[in-house]
Amino acid sequence: MKKLIGLTLAIAAALALISTRTVLAQSASESMEHAGTDVKNATVDVYHGTKTAVKDSDVTAKVKLALHDDSFTKDATIHVTTVAGVVTLRGTVASSDISDHAEKLAHDTSGVPGVRNRLKVAHHAG
């Protein structure tokens, strides 16, 4: 009888060990799958971030060129930045007409969904 109990305990222990190893292997497999998904998602995020940055640089260059080539804004010192396509204009200009015109030029540039006009108008003592 003792042999039978010992054998039963040995079989139960072996089954428990096999079951534990199976669970650990399955858990490791799931962890590797999640890690692969996380790497894939990070790669996609980097790609889209880089793509957006390149588009933003392109939009900034186009707006700067438009401002430079326009006789009304040519001599104004206007700083242009672009984030996610939205252009921000900064600097000080001689009149509100120049500010408005610069905003319109930026808005009319292809790839620009919005413009933030942060231009300041210089006040001349008179």
Side-chain angles (χ1 to χ4, degrees), residues 103-110 112 115:
E103 181 177 349
K104 182 177 179 347
L105 284 173
H107 199 288
D108 290 347
T109 302
S110 68
V112 177
V115 177

Side-chain angles (χ1 to χ4, degrees), residues 70-116:
D70 187 86
S71 61
F72 205 54
T73 56
K74 182 179 203 151
D75 296 324
T77 304
I78 299 173
H79 302 282
V80 180
T81 55
T82 308
V83 177
V86 177
V87 172
T88 301
L89 305 175
R90 288 189 174 85
T92 304
V93 293
S95 70
S96 59
D97 289 341
I98 294 173
S99 174
D100 294 343
H101 190 72
E103 181 177 349
K104 182 177 179 347
L105 284 173
H107 199 288
D108 290 347
T109 302
S110 68
V112 177
V115 177
R116 291 188 179 124

Side-chain angles (χ1 to χ4, degrees), residues 12-66:
L15 289 174
L17 182 61
I18 290 170
S19 176
T20 300
R21 285 186 178 170
T22 301
V23 168
L24 289 174
Q26 184 177 13
S27 176
S29 174
E30 288 171 1
S31 293
M32 287 175 59
E33 183 178 325
H34 289 299
T37 300
D38 291 346
V39 168
K40 179 184 172 193
N41 290 340
T43 302
V44 168
D45 289 345
V46 167
Y47 169 76
H48 288 296
T50 302
K51 190 174 173 183
T52 299
V54 168
K55 283 182 182 179
D56 287 346
S57 295
D58 186 44
V59 167
T60 297
K62 287 193 281 186
V63 171
K64 285 181 176 183
L65 185 61

